[in-house]
Amino acid sequence: MSEKEYAPLSSACVRALNDKIYDKRKAAALEIEKMVKDFVTRNRSQELRQLIKVLGQDFAGSQNPNTRKGGLIGLAATAIALGKDTGQYTQELILPILACFSDSDSRVRYYACESLYNVVKVARGAVLPHFAEIFSALSKLAADPEQNVKNASELLDRLMKDIVSEDPSFNMVGFMELLRERIYSRNAFTRQFIISWVSVLYAVPDMDFIVLLPEILDGLLRMLDEPTLEIKKTCDTVLGEFLRSIKQDPSRVDFPMMINILIVHSQAQDEFLQLTAITWIKEFVQLSGRNMLPFASGILTAILPCLSYDTDSRKNIRETAKAVNFILTKLITDEKDNNESGDDLNLPSIIDVLQKHLVHSAVPTKVAALQWVYHLHTNIPDRMLLHVDELFTVLLKVLSDSADEVVQQDIEVLAEFMSYPSSGDTSTGARIPNSKNPYFSKFIVSLLKLFSTDHHLLEDRGSFIIRQLCVLLDAEDIYRTLATILTREENLSFAPTMVDTLNTILLTAAELFELRNKLKELSTKESCSLFCQLYELWCNNPVATVSLCLLTQNYAHASRLIRNFGGLEVTVEFLIEIDRLVQLLESPIFTFVRLELLEIPHNQHLVQALYGLLMLLPQTEAFHMLRRRLNCIPTLHLQNGYVQGGITEKPDTRPGVKEIDFDKLLKQFLEIQEKHQKSKQKSRKIGMLQQGVSNMDIQ
């Protein structure tokens, strides 16, 4: 290439710029510096531009690495010579240097950093129109394999940060676009570079970084999953500063733009990231209040599983999730949300989330989900009515849960459903009788179906469930409805089992104290009606029927029933039930019966009933227990009970009892027992036939 083509450079200067020795290139740079100053002084701008073009294109863009180095040092010398006038030539100076940032020769990359440093140092804010190109180049050099290159790029990086921090007109929106492009890099050095820029610019008072935070929050949170501890700590510090600023002035914060990002990360596997995200959610819910309700389903998706964490490492996550859950429930109030036009709460999505956690989650999560259903129904019942049907099926399944806490909470929710009117005027919030609620009968039917198909549930949880229902609802309604449904039960083996369960609860549970007293007194037509209704069902279990008559002080009928036991099939199970009844007679529930043995004239029907039980028993411990009790009756009382060989009856003065047709009740008892006997004979016949077929198959 001829000397003319490198004009205005002299041939000596060209040779020096191409030399592999640094000192010679440095000398050429000094010559260029003088030349530029002369051009500026003499206003020879055309020659100056030609010089920059030669250095940028012919030298910095050369195939020879030494020539490229010469071009870079020449461009730096030009900028130094231009001084405050550098801003007029920033594009011609910067772009050729930036091209060398990706050079395959590490020394060229090093000199490119040094060259641009000198240009930027002189031009200062004039380089900002090219900030995007410089930032992109620096982000790549942050991960350069050569330490010298990284060191040089860090010097330039610090200088750029100083310039940006000083310039109030810096384009933050454009900067956010650059961050979004690079913030998801997996390279640790690039991440460190990105987070350092965020930290520096956040600290600049005039730059409203909080407004733009939604643009990069996701990327910043992802950095918390970084294995490099230093980056993790730096990012945590920056996020902590952001959160403090948000708490100081929430009016500038776009909470809806960021909450979904936090919801996603609050389900992360990394515990530190998860805790950070949930902590932010807690602050957002506190600061933004009802503005978070449209995102309630997502928040619940995130926090409900965390309530079941039981390891020390995740204790803080669990406690923070509890706080979020508590605050969120307080945002839902009947005054604002119990209407069809509620614009805050996406109830269908919330119900969907709760149902999923009811089926698949651990105990604390299921309890929390059930508490949410209860809370929603008590605060916004009119809106919840649309979802009761879909929830009902799930709640019935939850009754089979292995945890008592879950079952108890589930029963409370079901009871709440059954205590609220499903139609009509609900503005007063008035309750109606359980039996008038359509879900009440539906629930009892479904519950009995569960018990009939799952004997383990009935055996393990039947008593617990019914007792809880009697606490939360009206016990009489429960027993009346059960009696109504069970008297139509076609499964004759299931009915006696249910009667045994219900009878045991009736005679022993503290929760049924009032119902027992009502039956014991039989002082009203209503109580007598209840007795007759229960009696019809209790007839499926002979011993339970006797205990019901003893409880209601219908001793004459109890005695008649026992005398008819001789015609029944006496099995081991039958005798065990009598044994249990004798045990119950010694319990506090039947204290009044035992004391009645002291009255004069003596109620011989009661004595006969007890002796009848004694005669049915083999000589077991229960036999001896009852005999000892009967031996305690004063002989004089027994003698006063007999008049001229007959029996003196103690008249029953209760008004309602006179209306009871005991002959009809006895007939009813015998008919039901006959039905059971035929059913047993049929079952045995079928069993024998099946056994016969099996034997034939074997032969």
Side-chain angles (χ1 to χ4, degrees):
M1 191 174 285
S2 66
E3 181 181 329
K4 187 176 181 180
E5 292 180 75
Y6 287 104
L9 291 173
S10 66
S11 57
C13 187
V14 170
R15 283 194 299 273
L17 285 174
N18 279 286
D19 203 289
K20 64 180 180 181
I21 299 174
Y22 172 76
D23 289 341
K24 291 185 178 182
R25 296 197 303 272
K26 180 68 174 176
L30 292 173
E31 182 181 334
I32 291 171
E33 192 174 335
K34 292 176 183 178
M35 187 185 302
V36 171
K37 288 179 179 178
D38 180 63
F39 288 158
V40 172
T41 302
R42 297 166 63 185
N43 198 26
R44 295 167 63 179
S45 60
Q46 186 173 353
E47 290 172 275
L48 176 57
R49 290 191 180 278
Q50 177 60 27
L51 172 61
I52 296 173
K53 181 179 179 182
V54 169
L55 291 171
Q57 292 183 4
D58 298 333
F59 281 83
S62 171
Q63 296 295 316
N64 188 308
N66 290 324
T67 304
R68 296 198 293 277
K69 295 171 188 175
L72 290 167
I73 199 170
L75 289 169
T78 303
I80 292 169
L82 284 168
K84 60 182 175 53
D85 295 324
T86 308
Q88 301 175 37
Y89 306 94
T90 52
Q91 181 168 335
E92 295 92 328
L93 291 167
I94 291 173
L95 296 184
I97 298 173
L98 288 175
C100 294
F101 271 48
S102 57
D103 199 283
S104 59
D105 189 320
S106 63
R107 296 302 296 168
V108 173
R109 298 197 301 276
Y110 173 81
Y111 284 119
C113 289
E114 187 180 65
S115 178
L116 188 55
Y117 180 88
N118 285 307
V119 173
V120 172
K121 189 175 182 180
V122 175
R124 304 297 292 184
V127 303
L128 290 182
H130 303 284
F131 176 80
E133 296 97 316
I134 297 172
F135 184 85
S136 298
L138 284 172
S139 69
K140 295 174 183 175
L141 288 186
D144 198 280
E146 288 292 329
Q147 188 60 46
N148 286 338
V149 177
K150 280 200 288 187
N151 291 341
S153 70
E154 287 172 5
L155 287 173
L156 175 58
D157 181 51
R158 284 198 289 272
L159 179 59
M160 287 299 300
K161 287 171 180 171
D162 290 341
I163 293 170
V164 168
S165 300
E166 295 168 359
D167 194 329
S169 64
F170 178 66
N171 183 5
M172 281 290 292
V173 175
F175 176 65
M176 284 296 172
E177 293 177 2
L178 294 173
L179 282 183
R180 282 203 310 270
E181 292 173 7
R182 292 160 183 81
I183 203 166
Y184 294 105
S185 171
R186 299 298 299 175
N187 183 279
F189 295 106
T190 304
R191 283 185 159 188
Q192 187 69 56
F193 170 80
I194 294 295
I195 196 65
S196 69
W197 268 95
V198 173
S199 180
V200 166
L201 291 183
Y202 168 73
V204 178
D206 295 332
M207 293 186 182
D208 197 359
F209 215 118
I210 292 296
V211 175
L212 300 171
L213 181 59
E215 301 286 330
I216 58 168
L217 180 61
D218 179 60
L220 290 175
L221 288 168
R222 287 177 186 271
M223 288 188 188
L224 292 177
D225 199 9
E226 167 65 45
T228 306
L229 186 59
E230 183 181 356
I231 297 174
K232 205 180 187 88
K233 286 183 176 179
T234 305
C235 188
D236 180 49
T237 300
V238 171
L239 284 167
E241 291 296 327
F242 279 135
L243 189 56
R244 274 189 285 276
S245 295
I246 288 171
K247 291 164 70 174
Q248 289 170 3
D249 188 4
S251 62
R252 295 160 49 231
V253 182
D254 191 342
F255 292 105
M257 281 291 289
M258 292 187 281
I259 186 63
N260 283 328
I261 296 171
L262 296 171
I263 288 170
V264 170
H265 289 293
S266 62
Q267 301 170 68
Q269 293 298 314
D270 183 88
E271 293 178 11
F272 189 65
L273 170 55
Q274 188 180 26
L275 176 59
T276 302
I278 292 181
T279 300
W280 276 59
I281 289 175
K282 184 188 76 171
E283 299 298 340
F284 275 31
V285 175
Q286 283 182 320
L287 296 169
S288 186
R290 291 180 60 83
N291 290 330
M292 289 293 100
L293 287 182
F295 308 96
S297 60
I299 295 173
L300 288 173
T301 298
I303 65 170
L304 286 177
C306 301
L307 301 177
S308 297
Y309 289 167
D310 56 2
T311 60
D312 290 340
S313 62
R314 295 200 171 191
K315 179 181 178 181
N316 289 338
I317 297 175
R318 183 185 69 239
E319 296 306 313
T320 308
K322 284 182 180 178
V324 175
N325 189 54
F326 176 78
I327 299 166
L328 196 61
T329 58
K330 298 304 177 185
L331 296 179
I332 298 173
T333 57
D334 54 355
E335 295 88 358
K336 293 184 178 180
D337 294 300
N338 197 19
N339 60 80
E340 295 294 334
S341 60
D343 56 352
D344 293 326
L345 207 59
N346 186 346
L347 194 56
S349 64
I350 292 175
I351 296 300
D352 183 59
V353 170
L354 296 176
Q355 286 191 85
K356 289 176 181 176
H357 284 92
L358 283 174
V359 177
H360 299 293
S361 302
V363 170
T365 297
K366 279 188 277 198
V367 170
L370 288 165
Q371 288 171 342
W372 260 100
V373 176
Y374 185 88
H375 180 74
L376 290 169
H377 196 272
T378 53
N379 283 275
I380 50 172
D382 291 350
R383 294 182 65 187
M384 279 293 287
L385 285 175
L386 298 173
H387 305 279
V388 170
D389 284 333
E390 59 183 298
L391 282 167
F392 206 76
T393 303
V394 178
L395 294 172
L396 284 169
K397 291 179 180 177
V398 176
L399 288 174
S400 301
D401 196 272
S402 58
D404 286 349
E405 188 180 2
V406 173
V407 175
Q408 183 169 357
Q409 187 65 53
D410 187 47
I411 294 170
E412 288 185 28
V413 175
L414 287 163
E416 171 62 23
F417 284 176
M418 292 182 283
S419 299
Y420 193 83
S422 61
S423 61
D425 181 16
T426 61
S427 58
T428 62
R431 300 287 170 169
I432 60 172
N434 305 137
S435 55
K436 300 296 183 182
N437 187 301
Y439 287 103
F440 183 80
S441 296
K442 181 180 179 181
F443 168 73
I444 298 298
V445 169
S446 300
L447 180 64
L448 289 173
K449 186 176 180 181
L450 272 177
F451 285 157
S452 66
T453 55
D454 187 348
H455 295 294
H456 292 295
L457 177 64
L458 176 58
E459 183 178 341
D460 298 337
R461 291 294 176 79
S463 177
F464 176 75
I465 291 171
I466 293 170
R467 286 173 62 183
Q468 290 298 313
L469 286 170
C470 288
V471 171
L472 298 166
L473 301 171
D474 184 86
E476 183 175 340
D477 277 352
I478 296 288
Y479 266 71
R480 280 188 182 274
T481 307
L482 284 168
T484 300
I485 297 169
L486 281 169
T487 49
R488 299 194 297 267
E489 174 63 46
E490 295 180 359
N491 185 348
L492 293 181
S493 63
F494 173 62
T497 305
M498 273 306 304
V499 170
D500 182 55
T501 300
L502 294 171
N503 186 58
T504 301
I505 297 169
L506 177 64
L507 297 180
T508 61
E511 296 88 347
L512 274 76
F513 174 78
E514 292 183 3
L515 184 61
R516 277 198 300 274
N517 276 350
K518 188 171 187 176
L519 286 168
K520 175 184 171 184
E521 299 300 330
L522 289 185
S523 58
T524 63
K525 288 186 177 180
E526 181 186 0
S527 59
C528 290
S529 166
L530 173 61
F531 164 73
C532 292
Q533 190 173 8
L534 294 181
Y535 180 93
E536 183 179 2
L537 173 61
W538 260 236
C539 285
N540 287 280
N541 187 314
V543 179
T545 312
V546 170
S547 67
L548 179 64
C549 291
L550 291 175
L551 174 67
T552 55
Q553 304 181 74
N554 290 308
Y555 304 128
H557 193 68
S559 178
R560 292 178 70 189
L561 287 174
I562 293 171
R563 286 199 297 273
N564 280 279
F565 280 7
L568 303 180
E569 181 181 359
V570 178
T571 63
V572 174
E573 290 78 11
F574 183 82
L575 294 175
I576 290 173
E577 288 182 16
I578 296 178
D579 191 295
R580 285 170 52 203
L581 175 57
V582 171
Q583 302 285 342
L584 281 172
L585 287 171
E586 292 295 317
S587 70
I589 299 296
F590 282 107
T591 299
F592 73 94
V593 172
R594 300 195 299 273
L595 289 174
E596 198 160 334
L597 294 174
L598 298 176
E599 292 187 10
I600 302 175
H602 202 76
N603 192 321
Q604 292 300 315
H605 293 302
L606 173 58
V607 175
Q608 279 189 345
L610 296 180
Y611 270 107
L613 293 175
L614 186 70
M615 294 301 107
L616 288 168
L617 282 170
Q619 295 189 29
T620 60
E621 176 57 32
F623 171 88
H624 295 295
M625 181 187 299
L626 182 56
R627 186 182 64 175
R628 288 194 294 271
R629 174 62 64 185
L630 291 171
N631 286 341
C632 292
I633 302 174
T635 306
L636 180 62
H637 290 188
L638 289 175
Q639 292 174 347
N640 288 337
Y642 291 88
V643 178
Q644 296 179 356
I647 297 177
T648 302
E649 291 191 30
K650 181 182 179 181
D652 195 328
T653 58
R654 294 174 292 178
V657 176
K658 296 178 181 179
E659 305 297 324
I660 299 176
D661 187 345
F662 285 100
D663 289 335
K664 181 180 178 181
L665 293 183
L666 179 61
K667 181 181 179 183
Q668 192 176 54
F669 172 82
L670 295 173
E671 287 175 351
I672 291 175
Q673 287 305 308
E674 184 179 0
K675 188 186 298 183
H676 277 281
Q677 185 60 36
K678 289 181 179 179
S679 176
K680 290 178 183 177
Q681 290 175 351
K682 184 178 179 181
S683 297
R684 288 169 184 158
K685 185 176 181 180
I686 292 173
M688 291 175 64
L689 289 172
Q690 289 176 342
Q691 184 65 33
V693 171
S694 298
N695 291 336
M696 290 175 64
D697 290 341
I698 294 172
Q699 294 172 0

